[in-house]
Amino acid sequence: MRFSHGIFTNWTAILVLQLFMMDIALSVGKQASGNQSTGASTKYVTSAALTPATICTSIHGVTSKQMRFCEKYRSLMASIFEGIAIGIKECKFQFRKRRWNCTSLISKPPLYRNHAVPGTKEDAFTHAIIAAGIAHSVARALSSGNFTLPGVKSDTKNSINNGIQLAKEFLDGQDSKNQEIKLMNTHNNEVGLAVVNTSAVMECKCIGPSKSCNVRTCWKRLAGFRTVGKGLHELYMKSVKVKSNQAQSSLVLVGDPFSKPTAKKEFVHIKDSPNYCDRKASLGILGTHGRTCVRDSNDKEADVCDIMCCGRGYDTRIVMRKWKCRCKFYWCCFVKCKSCTEDAIVQSCK
């Protein structure tokens, strides 16, 4: 079975089940809360039912190239699944105040979809952020030094480059019936991988007893994935429209057939984005009906109702919010809090 224009099609159903089986959400939560700024390692929580020996035979809908990758690097597949989850989670954070907010990237039966409207700049971001998530997760796993992989040296100094190369090998196994879409997806995958590399932090250590530090060894450390997501979101805002050349071998800028997009440095898209105002299930568009918004704000990134609601107007209601407050520590050893409430005004799109 072959892939169509999305990152994954029928395989998505299996991925969603496996993400639950492997408790990926737990490790993603730990990474988001504790490791955003440090890029530190995250422990993987796996299911006994899904072992490296059975994982390749448990997934369906992959291309033959990706099946060979799975058989060659079985022990890395948990990291790849985690990377997909991290990418989708970060997508939802970066677009949380926009009409399209990545909520279509994971859905329930009978519709499985983890790509945006094909050919749009939202689709470009989706491919890039998931590619970056895979590279980031694999690199973090390799930095532990606990992996023995064919032809791969697993250590801290080479983990980022190796993670990017392994992610690229996995992603290059994708396929598409539409050559123009395939060129676009490949380009945006490489942008995502490049941002993982350029956002990395250089660290150095002095060698020898001398305090002058004339000799030192340096390596790159992964940046927190929030930094990667922010960098990709900035590129999304500058995405350029392209089309394939006559030979269908490369992409050129629309309006300038003699110029190509900058490799690894800018997103490309081939179709204009819809307005995402109304629900269109066939395209995975959920619409903005019922979305919460703010009536007015000086924040340029705020989800202002006039924009979010697409001119349909909005409803206003008062809700009671509860939270723990006036907490006090008692020796030894517990914390006791009171319960506070307030009435809040909430707007939601009609």
Side-chain angles (χ1 to χ4, degrees):
M1 189 174 296
R2 302 167 72 86
F3 287 156
S4 63
H5 44 251
I7 296 178
F8 306 100
T9 52
N10 292 340
W11 193 22
T12 312
I14 307 301
L15 278 178
V16 173
L17 292 175
Q18 289 172 333
L19 291 176
F20 281 109
M21 291 172 65
M22 298 166 64
D23 291 329
I24 289 300
L26 177 59
S27 61
V28 171
K30 290 181 179 179
Q31 195 268 350
S33 61
N35 300 328
Q36 287 292 357
S37 60
T38 63
S41 177
T42 301
K43 292 184 179 180
Y44 304 108
V45 183
T46 59
S47 168
L50 200 61
T51 66
T54 62
I55 193 169
C56 294
T57 57
S58 300
I59 55 180
H60 304 282
V62 298
T63 64
S64 57
K65 288 183 179 179
Q66 289 183 317
M67 181 58 72
R68 289 195 295 271
F69 178 95
C70 182
E71 292 172 348
K72 184 178 180 180
Y73 302 116
R74 293 173 188 264
S75 59
L76 277 185
M77 296 309 293
S79 299
I80 287 177
F81 293 153
E82 185 199 42
I84 295 169
I86 289 172
I88 292 174
K89 182 181 179 72
E90 184 62 24
C91 182
K92 291 180 178 180
F93 175 82
Q94 294 295 335
F95 285 82
R96 67 196 184 281
K97 297 180 180 180
R98 294 182 175 272
R99 292 176 182 172
W100 181 79
N101 60 353
C102 309
T103 52
S104 62
L105 299 189
I106 290 183
S107 55
K108 298 179 180 180
L111 177 64
Y112 292 100
R113 183 188 301 274
N114 70 343
H115 58 81
V117 179
T120 62
K121 62 180 183 179
E122 290 76 32
D123 197 28
F125 183 88
T126 300
H127 278 79
I129 195 70
I130 291 181
I134 293 173
H136 196 276
S137 180
V138 170
R140 198 171 60 246
L142 292 177
S143 67
S144 67
N146 295 327
F147 284 85
T148 302
L149 302 173
V152 178
K153 183 179 179 181
S154 179
D155 59 34
T156 302
K157 295 179 182 178
N158 297 301
S159 61
I160 296 179
N161 288 336
N162 287 337
I164 290 172
Q165 289 303 314
L166 287 165
K168 185 178 186 304
E169 183 178 345
F170 177 78
L171 293 165
D172 283 349
Q174 297 172 16
D175 202 357
S176 174
K177 296 178 181 179
N178 186 317
Q179 178 64 12
E180 194 172 42
I181 289 286
K182 182 177 181 179
L183 291 171
M184 171 187 156
N185 292 346
T186 299
H187 178 100
N188 292 318
N189 284 343
E190 292 182 352
V191 173
L193 299 178
V195 170
V196 172
N197 186 44
T198 57
S199 63
V201 180
M202 184 66 71
E203 291 187 343
C204 296
K205 181 179 180 181
C206 296
I207 298 177
S210 174
K211 294 183 179 180
S212 61
C213 198
N214 292 327
V215 180
R216 60 180 183 171
T217 180
C218 298
W219 63 93
K220 285 185 175 181
R221 174 178 59 81
L222 282 171
F225 200 67
R226 180 57 41 80
T227 300
V228 176
K230 182 179 179 180
L232 289 174
H233 187 265
E234 291 173 355
L235 292 178
Y236 160 84
M237 301 297 292
K238 304 173 184 177
S239 180
V240 297
K241 193 172 184 180
V242 297
K243 63 180 181 179
S244 60
N245 61 5
Q246 290 185 349
Q248 294 277 303
S249 59
S250 63
L251 297 172
V252 296
L253 301 182
V254 170
D256 187 0
F258 299 103
S259 298
K260 295 182 178 181
T262 306
K264 301 182 180 181
K265 291 187 178 181
E266 59 183 352
F267 283 160
V268 298
H269 62 277
I270 60 178
K271 296 180 181 178
D272 294 331
S273 300
N275 58 28
Y276 297 106
C277 290
D278 299 311
R279 181 180 179 86
K280 294 181 181 178
S282 61
L283 295 177
I285 299 175
L286 303 183
T288 63
H289 296 272
R291 288 278 299 276
T292 57
C293 57
V294 293
R295 186 163 50 190
D296 51 60
S297 174
N298 293 325
D299 182 3
K300 294 181 180 180
E301 295 295 323
D303 41 352
V304 179
C305 293
D306 288 344
I307 297 175
M308 179 65 71
C309 303
C310 306
R312 297 187 305 267
Y314 54 90
D315 296 318
T316 300
R317 67 185 190 278
I318 298 177
V319 298
M320 180 181 290
R321 290 177 175 169
K322 296 182 179 181
W323 72 95
K324 291 182 179 180
C325 62
R326 296 196 289 273
C327 297
K328 186 176 181 180
F329 175 79
Y330 290 87
W331 184 267
C332 175
C333 300
F334 66 94
V335 176
K336 188 175 182 180
C337 301
K338 294 185 179 295
S339 180
C340 293
T341 62
E342 70 172 1
D343 290 335
I345 299 175
V346 176
Q347 288 86 26
S348 58
C349 294
K350 291 183 177 180

